[in-house]
Amino acid sequence: MGARGRRDARRELAMPVAYTPGLRVTREAVIRQERRLPMQGEVLVQAGDTVGAEAVVARAERPGNLHTIRAAQMLHVEPQELESYFIKQRGESVSRGEILAEARGLWGLFKSEVRSPIAGVVEEVSATSGYVRVREQAELIEVRAHIAGRVAEIIAGEGAVIEARGALVQGIFGVGGERRGRLRVIGQGPEERLRPELIEECEGCVLVAGAGAEGKAIARAAEAGAAGLVVGAVSDATLREYVGYDIGVAITGQEAVPMTLILTEGFGELPMARRTWELLRSLEGELASIDGATQIRAGVMRPEIIVTRAGESGGVAEAEAEQNLVVGARVRVIREPHFGALGKVTELPVELAEIETESRVRVALVELDGGDVVRVPRANLELIRE
């Protein structure tokens, strides 16, 4: 075995081969997705709006790069004379290779010209430096809702928080970014590996297989146009073959892969947990929103498969609290300052109470598992069905 083979073998042995506890696999969850632009822009929705997964919630334009051309030098004229030779005007759009300015010599001979190196907009013609500056077209950046739900909160100039109720499955590891498609289950059970011959027409689908897949099966799914593939596990070598390089320990999700791949259990030879398999199988045909982004270190982030329920996107958390909360119910707090804390409802006051935002809402008294009793808006509680 060569040196590279020994390194690969050691790497295979070092990869985790066991289920990681603490991941959420539930049919009933309050899901909140923060949808934020990377820069200031325009928010296109309002609080309370109901949106589909493909709805654009915010939009911005990123200015293009600026290209400088030594136009006066190229035309052999003085900088202050430059504008008189210009064919295009400031603010005018130009295509790549289009003539911006030209000068002719004696009797029209020996023509000199300046062409645009890019497609863009003429931004400046300087009579001081003799330079012309052309800016590339602005890049349109859009942020979509990703899940069907209700706009719970507006982030001024940046985006919105979308809230919904539905199924949530967190995986161990993933590659590839956000995609959406109908769930389609392949195979007979969580122990069955995905074989290339099982993959038929699946364009735009999110495929769910059992124990895992070899490189040929993954490549076949991608070639068939699948939006995503969810499997129990794959080997490190198979993952490396799919992505084209070794995956580091930073954040994944930006890989240039044609299909998002999510592992629910880990690396190696692991069947998909039966609970996960049964849940995803029961949701076959539903629209799933998936994201392979993973961060292992500080600020842990896990890949997700989300299926929201039609007709339950408006007033999701509040409706749940109003209709189903009872004294003695087990709950989880889903907002700060007690985010993630578990407890039991001890009292449901009838009267409205004022909270920090000065709004008046219905609240619940919750005895946390640590013994503290806190007052929490009912909309900030998630029921735990045991």
Side-chain angles (χ1 to χ4, degrees):
M1 181 183 293
R4 180 173 180 179
R6 287 193 295 271
R7 287 197 300 271
D8 287 348
R10 287 196 298 270
R11 184 177 176 86
E12 289 288 350
L13 292 172
M15 295 303 291
V17 291
Y19 174 73
T20 300
L23 301 183
R24 296 188 67 189
V25 178
T26 177
R27 182 181 296 275
E28 298 287 341
V30 172
I31 301 159
R32 289 175 60 85
Q33 292 268 306
E34 186 178 277
R35 313 301 294 163
R36 190 188 291 263
L37 289 165
M39 57 191 296
Q40 286 288 310
E42 179 186 8
V43 179
L44 305 177
V45 295
Q46 297 181 349
D49 285 355
T50 298
V51 294
E54 297 292 339
V56 177
V57 299
R59 179 182 294 142
E61 285 191 349
R62 177 181 287 144
N65 294 326
L66 193 62
H67 292 251
T68 300
I69 308 164
R70 297 183 177 184
Q73 181 179 334
M74 294 172 69
L75 293 177
H76 308 290
V77 300
E78 295 299 320
Q80 60 270 25
E81 301 174 326
L82 179 61
E83 196 156 357
S84 63
Y85 293 96
F86 240 72
I87 297 173
K88 298 293 181 180
Q89 304 297 319
R90 290 182 182 86
E92 192 171 349
S93 295
V94 294
S95 56
R96 182 175 181 177
E98 189 171 357
I99 296 176
L100 302 177
E102 61 181 6
R104 296 180 180 272
L106 189 63
W107 300 304
L109 302 176
F110 310 111
K111 181 176 70 172
S112 300
E113 61 186 24
V114 176
R115 294 179 180 270
S116 177
I118 61 164
V121 176
V122 178
E123 188 165 293
E124 181 184 3
V125 180
S126 175
T128 302
S129 66
Y131 291 174
V132 173
R133 292 181 172 85
V134 180
R135 188 175 294 278
E136 294 176 355
Q137 296 289 350
E139 177 188 359
L140 181 64
I141 302 173
E142 293 183 334
V143 173
R144 298 183 184 273
H146 186 52
I147 63 172
R150 177 181 67 91
V151 179
E153 181 182 334
I154 296 297
I155 306 171
E158 295 184 53
V161 176
I162 311 300
E163 186 176 80
R165 176 160 290 278
L168 169 64
V169 174
Q170 290 183 318
I172 292 291
F173 192 83
V175 292
E178 294 177 353
R179 289 181 169 92
R180 292 164 288 279
R182 300 285 172 184
L183 283 176
R184 181 176 173 187
V185 177
I186 297 180
Q188 302 303 311
E191 298 84 11
E192 185 178 352
R193 293 181 63 78
L194 179 63
R195 304 189 306 277
E197 58 269 24
L198 295 178
I199 301 170
E200 298 175 349
E201 185 177 346
C202 60
E203 186 171 358
C205 294
V206 175
L207 301 178
V208 178
E214 297 297 335
K216 289 183 179 179
I218 295 174
R220 169 62 185 146
E223 290 168 1
L229 173 61
V230 182
V231 295
V234 299
S235 69
D236 179 47
T238 298
L239 180 64
R240 186 166 57 247
E241 178 186 352
Y242 179 56
V243 178
Y245 54 86
D246 283 328
I247 296 292
V249 295
I251 299 176
T252 72
Q254 300 300 317
E255 297 77 19
V257 291
M259 175 186 72
T260 296
L261 175 65
I262 295 178
L263 314 180
T264 63
E265 313 306 320
F267 293 84
E269 298 286 338
L270 294 170
M272 183 179 292
R274 182 160 292 277
R275 178 185 177 198
T276 304
W277 170 266
E278 295 293 350
L279 175 56
L280 292 175
R281 188 175 67 171
S282 72
L283 296 169
E284 185 167 15
E286 297 289 339
L287 179 65
S289 300
I290 64 173
D291 186 0
T294 308
Q295 181 170 314
I296 304 300
R297 293 185 174 177
V300 173
M301 181 190 309
R302 295 294 185 183
E304 295 180 333
I305 304 104
I306 298 171
V307 177
T308 58
R309 290 199 295 272
E312 296 192 22
S313 57
V316 178
E318 188 170 353
E320 172 73 11
E322 291 293 330
Q323 295 173 18
N324 297 314
L325 277 184
V326 295
V327 172
R330 286 283 291 169
V331 293
R332 176 186 286 109
V333 184
I334 62 171
R335 304 270 183 90
E336 295 293 354
H338 304 289
F339 177 78
L342 301 175
K344 179 177 67 175
V345 175
T346 59
E347 187 178 342
L348 293 170
V350 176
E351 64 277 6
L352 298 177
E354 186 173 303
I355 58 177
E356 291 182 359
T357 61
E358 298 184 358
S359 299
R360 295 181 62 80
V361 299
R362 296 192 182 280
V363 300
L365 297 184
V366 178
E367 180 182 350
L368 302 180
D369 287 353
D372 294 337
V373 177
V374 297
R375 188 181 68 168
V376 183
R378 299 186 191 185
N380 293 357
L381 295 174
E382 176 185 12
L383 280 172
I384 298 177
R385 290 173 170 81
E386 300 179 311

